[in-house]
Amino acid sequence: MSTAQDIWQSSTSSFLGFRAVYVREVQTYIRTPMAYVFLAVFLLSLGVLTWEAGGFFETNRADLAPFFVWHPWLYTVFLPALAMRLWADEQTNGTDELLLSLPVGLGGLVLGKLLAAWTITGFALILTIPMWLTVNFLGSPAAVELSWMNPGSLFKWLGANVFGGADNVAIFVTYLMSFLMAGAYLSIGLALSAIARNQVTAFIMSVFVAFILTAAGWPVVLSGVTDSFGVDAADSVARLSFLSHFEAAQRGVLEWRSVIYFTGFIGLSCMLCGLWVARLRE
Amino acid sequence: MIEKFFTPLTSLFLIAIFFLFNGLIQPRMASWRVDFSQGDQYTLSKGTKQTLGELAEPVDLTFVYSRTLGQDFPVIRAYAQRVRELLQTYENVGGRQLHLVEIDPSPFSTAEDEALAAGISALPTGSGDPIYFGLIGRNAVDDELVIPFLDPEREATLEYDLTRLIARLDNPKPATIGIITDLQNFQGTGTETDYFVLREIAASYTVEPIAPDFLTIPDNVDILLVAHAADLTNRQTYLIDQFILEKGRALILVDPASKAAAAAGGVFSTSNGLTRSDLGALGEAWGINLLTEAVADATHALPIGVEENGSVIEMGQPLFIGLPRALMSSDDLVTAPLSLTLNLGAPGALQAFPPDGVTFSTLVRTDDAPSFIDPERASVDMPPQDVLRAYEAEDGYLVIGGRLSGILPTAFADGPPLADLPDDPVEAELLDLANAELTNHLTQSVQPAEIIILADADMLDDGFYIDPRSGNPAGDNATFILNALDNLAGGDALTNLRSRSPNQRPMNRIDRMRDIAQRQFFAEQVELEDRLASAQARLEQLQANGIEQGFFSGDLEADLSPEERTELAALRQSVIETRSSLRDIERNFRRDIDGLVGSLRFINIWGGPLMLALLGFLVWFRQKRRLG
């Protein structure tokens, strides 16, 4: 019987079978109704929060601030739900041993699973594109008459109504960062589902960790930390929070430290996940 | 043994490495950022960075914002977010010298007491609890400067306002303004009888009046304010020239037709009564020329009372110009924050051909069809009718004010002018003493000069912009002067800041729809309102008749003729109908917008879930078919 140490050492470098794992996991998401339900509720909540709680229309500003501000909070709840089955499912079904006995590297397994869930999240983000079109439409700088006689007017119309009304480069950057951040949230779920006995435990643990990492950047929490432990402590806490790292990105400012933080976090979670999965094989 | 602890130990090790690495690397990477927002909204200007980089003592900023209450006011909330983000950027750049805290003054909290004590405005809301939205700045020696209300309307100048506040906290000593003028109400130190604007200047700065017959400019003067100095000697011009080359900060008001000087120039007056002041030799050196003629602008004539056929009627006086915001620079921080008109009295026009290395940017201009008017006539009481008769519209606008920046040459290339020795021995002695100080002749600017020039001095007069009833400014004349001094006093860092276009992109489409609806229904609405008013008036009349005549019989309509009764019934019916049509209009007015917002809301909230449901159904159907 091989030890955890052996599996860890032999498998981390191996990304064999990554493709197969990825395709299998994506198919599982597509074929199970759960993913649809989670994503539908996620999109519905995002829409309601943006338009009702965020008062998107009442701000009279053609920007997506009232939309992006909810992303970390919704990810806290919905992405653990998406990721909880990744390993816990295998354990419940008893397929984990089978999986690890296949000629598939541990790295390929972990990354394949993460990327599958990430792809599904990216798909959900793509489904929010109407919101992006909406700000461009509402902010369109000039009224352009669309005439079928004049094909050139179509380009003008598109320019004014589809591309012209918002700060689209900034919005694109925010979308990218939101996607990267989603990967970090998913990686929490992925890693914790490897040590949880079932999906529910995996979900609860993931939401708990995700919430702590999100709320650490909440101004309410930070001002509390400042009052009790001083500014430096608050700064340190803020540096660990997903919320703080998404802050600048929300305005279209790309901070390299946030990119490093999120990718580093994903890397850490994947390594922990590999480590914890390997332990199961002892 | 080692194997047993391998997993937990490695896990802890990895987590520790990650957090250690982040803790080390993150503070060093604060400035590694790329601003993808249009117009680099979140990148501070060079001037701000310079100010923050040169902070000698720590500055504490307290951002006061009623976060919970503010949630109900989307405009305030969105702007508060913008302010918070900008302040955070300041904090990133300012490092340890700039400390930012945010307080939420909920009702009856100590934070509320702090906000009120500092002078933050309490904005009343419908709920009864006020909203606080301002900024308190403090420096190491407990000087306090406050922005009582962060007005969303001032977004364009937000960075300037913040940087200026920080710069003032860093260097709290107010600048000294030396004033050279012929205008009697502008010669004091800001007492009761002085112009309002001088009192305002004295409130923020040290005012150093310089007598019209001055022989030297005091050393402590930081900024020179020359307002209609019509009778400068060669030597005095030289002193001004040298001051500007050395310190580089001046606000100069010239006037081709000073009404104040014309009014003061009586036989018993101490005023010299000269109605024209210009830049003289300085203008020649700088390439700025004040045209001889006065300027009138019929498009923005201010209304004055004119006697016609024995009665006083209100009429536009084209010589008194109320320049709107649109005719002032929106980039320059002197004019960008203005919201009211700049009221001028028979101004002049400037022509600029600045030498190399000097730029002239227009701050204030007329509309497109101004006219030149004879300054002799313009400076005295010229009735609007006469002005209109003499009015010959020019093609294009005329420049009234601008900013001159750069390295200026001296107007006295040949060295100090020789002064005529006065006959009086005491004066001759004084002049000798003063001459002794003129040892260091400068041929060009020591540092880049910033000079703001306006071709009107009458605008200082209270009569042009202070509402006589309330005593409040009805024009932005004083604000213009104060902004100009503020800007000049700020040092290089501040004078180089420009206002930036606000990043808030309004929902233009909604605004357009609102405009169209307004235009479409306006005429109809006015007509209906008129009809309603006249019907109601007639109704009241008929009812009054009825009450008068039928009061005792108990029937209010008893004494109305049958025709009148029919009319009364018809009128009542008409009032009801008109009211209902008016309501329809109000509804129509919002109908298109509400409809659009409704569909957008539906698409955005339900569109995603519905598409997913459809997709899920397709997948399910395919699977079923394949299995079946």
Side-chain angles (χ1 to χ4, degrees), chain A residues 16-86:
Chain A
L16 197 71
F18 160 75
R19 226 180 106 94
V21 175
Y22 174 74
V23 172
R24 169 183 176 263
E25 291 294 334
V26 169
Q27 276 177 350
T28 317
Y29 275 122
I30 292 177
R31 286 182 190 148
T32 47
M34 284 304 270
Y36 292 92
V37 174
F38 285 141
L39 289 189
V41 179
F42 168 75
L43 290 173
L44 195 66
S45 316
L46 192 52
V48 169
L49 287 173
T50 306
W51 284 79
E52 311 298 338
F56 166 72
F57 180 69
E58 286 74 20
T59 59
N60 194 32
R61 287 185 173 209
D63 65 40
L64 283 180
F67 165 76
F68 283 121
V69 74
W70 302 108
H71 283 205
W73 297 103
L74 288 176
Y75 287 166
T76 304
V77 178
F78 285 95
L79 296 190
L82 206 61
M84 66 185 182
R85 52 154 289 277
L86 286 172

Side-chain angles (χ1 to χ4, degrees), chain B residues 163-408:
Chain B
T163 306
R164 187 179 51 173
L165 179 134
I166 294 169
R168 281 228 193 129
L169 285 170
D170 193 43
N171 182 12
K173 188 180 151 290
T176 302
I177 316 283
I179 300 181
I180 302 172
T181 181
D182 288 356
L183 305 172
Q184 277 175 329
N185 294 336
F186 206 59
Q187 284 171 340
T189 50
T191 51
E192 263 321 282
T193 52
D194 292 330
Y195 284 148
F196 173 81
V197 58
L198 184 58
R199 299 203 297 273
E200 291 288 299
I201 294 172
S204 324
Y205 302 97
T206 311
V207 172
E208 177 82 54
I210 301 175
D213 57 351
F214 67 98
L215 294 175
T216 52
I217 295 173
D219 282 340
N220 61 341
V221 171
D222 299 306
I223 302 168
L224 206 53
L225 200 174
V226 184
H228 190 67
D231 196 19
L232 291 174
T233 64
N234 223 2
R235 184 195 158 76
Q236 288 175 327
T237 310
Y238 175 73
L239 290 172
I240 296 175
D241 174 80
Q242 293 292 303
F243 175 90
I244 286 171
L245 297 185
E246 188 195 340
K247 299 203 174 157
R249 298 285 181 270
L251 168 60
I252 302 179
L253 307 182
V254 288
D255 204 322
S258 167
K259 293 184 146 329
V267 183
F268 302 105
S269 169
T270 51
S271 163
N272 53 38
L274 291 175
T275 54
R276 178 182 168 88
S277 58
D278 54 29
L279 293 162
L282 300 177
E284 280 164 35
W286 304 341
I288 307 288
N289 179 27
L290 175 72
L291 299 180
T292 324
E293 308 281 290
V295 171
D297 188 342
T299 325
H300 301 287
L302 288 169
I304 60 165
V306 180
E307 213 181 285
E308 203 174 67
N309 306 330
S311 63
V312 175
I313 55 161
E314 209 164 72
M315 200 172 172
Q317 164 62 283
L319 274 174
F320 298 171
I321 309 170
L323 287 177
R325 276 260 325 85
L327 297 177
M328 301 187 248
S329 163
S330 55
D331 296 332
D332 201 287
L333 286 158
V334 173
T335 43
L338 303 189
S339 53
L340 306 172
T341 54
L342 189 61
N343 296 348
L344 308 174
L350 297 173
Q351 274 179 331
F353 310 99
D356 287 346
V358 180
T359 54
F360 180 83
S361 53
T362 302
L363 291 184
V364 182
R365 64 177 180 90
T366 65
D367 218 319
D368 282 338
S371 166
F372 289 115
I373 302 285
D374 176 14
E376 292 280 313
R377 297 181 65 200
S379 61
V380 293
D381 244 357
M382 191 176 178
Q385 295 93 326
D386 292 1
V387 179
L388 286 174
R389 233 168 273 139
Y391 203 93
E392 283 172 42
E394 297 288 316
D395 254 357
Y397 62 82
L398 295 169
V399 175
I400 297 181
R403 176 197 283 269
L404 191 71
S405 357
I407 300 287
L408 298 172

Side-chain angles (χ1 to χ4, degrees), chain B residues 397-434:
Chain B
Y397 62 82
L398 295 169
V399 175
I400 297 181
R403 176 197 283 269
L404 191 71
S405 357
I407 300 287
L408 298 172
T410 177
F412 297 85
D414 303 333
L418 293 172
D420 318 321
L421 272 185
D423 301 334
D424 188 317
V426 180
E427 278 180 29
E429 177 92 0
L430 282 172
L431 190 61
D432 257 358
L433 275 175

Side-chain angles (χ1 to χ4, degrees), chain B residues 18 45 75 78 83 108 174 305 316 341 360 372 434 484 507 510 545 561 600:
Chain B
F18 174 74
S45 327
V75 175
V83 175
F108 308 111
T341 54
F360 180 83
F372 289 115
M507 295 183 180
I510 302 297
N545 285 347
S561 64
L600 286 177

Side-chain angles (χ1 to χ4, degrees), chain A residues 87-152:
Chain A
W87 289 106
D89 216 16
E90 310 274 7
Q91 288 186 50
T92 330
N93 299 341
T95 46
D96 51 338
E97 307 224 351
L98 178 70
L99 201 60
L100 289 173
S101 65
L102 291 173
V104 172
L106 197 52
L109 263 178
V110 171
L111 272 186
K113 280 173 180 286
L114 176 70
L115 284 180
W118 212 350
T119 308
I120 299 298
T121 313
F123 179 66
L125 277 180
I126 288 175
L127 286 181
T128 65
I129 280 183
M131 204 55 223
W132 192 350
L133 295 175
T134 299
V135 281
N136 272 294
F137 182 71
L138 287 176
S140 101
V144 177
E145 286 293 321
L146 196 56
S147 138
W148 300 114
M149 296 293 128
N150 175 11

Side-chain angles (χ1 to χ4, degrees), chain A residues 3-5 8 30-31 36 39-40 43-44 47-48 51-63 66 123 127-128 130-132 134 137-143 161 164-167 169-170 173 213 219 223 226 231-232 239-240 245 247-248 251-257 260-261 264-265 268 271-272 275-276 279 282, chain B residues 2-3 6-7 10-12 14-15 18-19 21-23 25-27 29-30 32-38 42 67 71 74-75 77-79 81-82 85-86 88-89 91-92 96 99 101-102 155 503-512 514 590 593 596-597 600-601 603-606 608-609 611-613 615-616 619 623 626:
Chain A
T3 63
Q5 212 168 347
W8 167 250
I30 292 177
R31 286 182 190 148
Y36 292 92
L39 289 189
L43 290 173
L44 195 66
V48 169
W51 284 79
E52 311 298 338
F56 166 72
F57 180 69
E58 286 74 20
T59 59
N60 194 32
R61 287 185 173 209
D63 65 40
F123 179 66
L127 286 181
T128 65
M131 204 55 223
W132 192 350
T134 299
F137 182 71
L138 287 176
S140 101
N161 293 305
D167 197 347
V169 183
V173 168
L213 283 170
S223 64
T226 310
V231 194
D232 291 333
R239 277 202 284 274
L240 298 180
H245 283 289
E247 195 111 275
R251 319 166 225 150
V253 177
L254 185 75
E255 287 194 316
W256 290 111
R257 56 175 175 175
I260 289 182
Y261 177 78
F265 192 91
L268 170 75
M271 284 202 264
L272 290 177
L275 197 63
W276 294 340
R279 190 207 53 171
E282 273 178 47
Chain B
I2 291 170
E3 275 163 32
F6 175 74
T7 308
T10 317
S11 305
L12 281 178
L14 286 174
I15 294 174
F18 174 74
F19 286 127
F21 173 73
N22 265 295
I25 202 166
Q26 282 203 35
M29 289 186 66
W32 294 18
R33 57 221 305 276
V34 192
D35 189 346
F36 283 100
S37 65
Q38 206 168 55
Y42 300 98
R67 212 176 171 123
Q71 291 299 325
V75 175
R77 192 189 58 202
Y79 188 56
Q81 185 60 27
R82 166 87 173 108
E85 285 161 356
L86 194 65
Q88 280 161 356
T89 319
E91 202 189 15
N92 282 343
R96 300 222 153 249
H99 180 212
V101 281
E102 179 173 344
E155 177 164 2
N503 83 323
Q504 51 173 305
R505 293 158 174 270
M507 295 183 180
N508 294 314
R509 178 176 300 273
I510 302 297
D511 293 346
R512 278 199 299 274
R514 205 168 277 146
R590 290 225 33 110
I593 296 176
L596 175 72
V597 173
L600 286 177
R601 192 192 300 261
I603 291 171
N604 280 295
I605 295 179
W606 293 100
M611 272 194 280
L612 267 176
L615 210 73
V619 170
Q623 259 179 329
R626 201 167 357 154

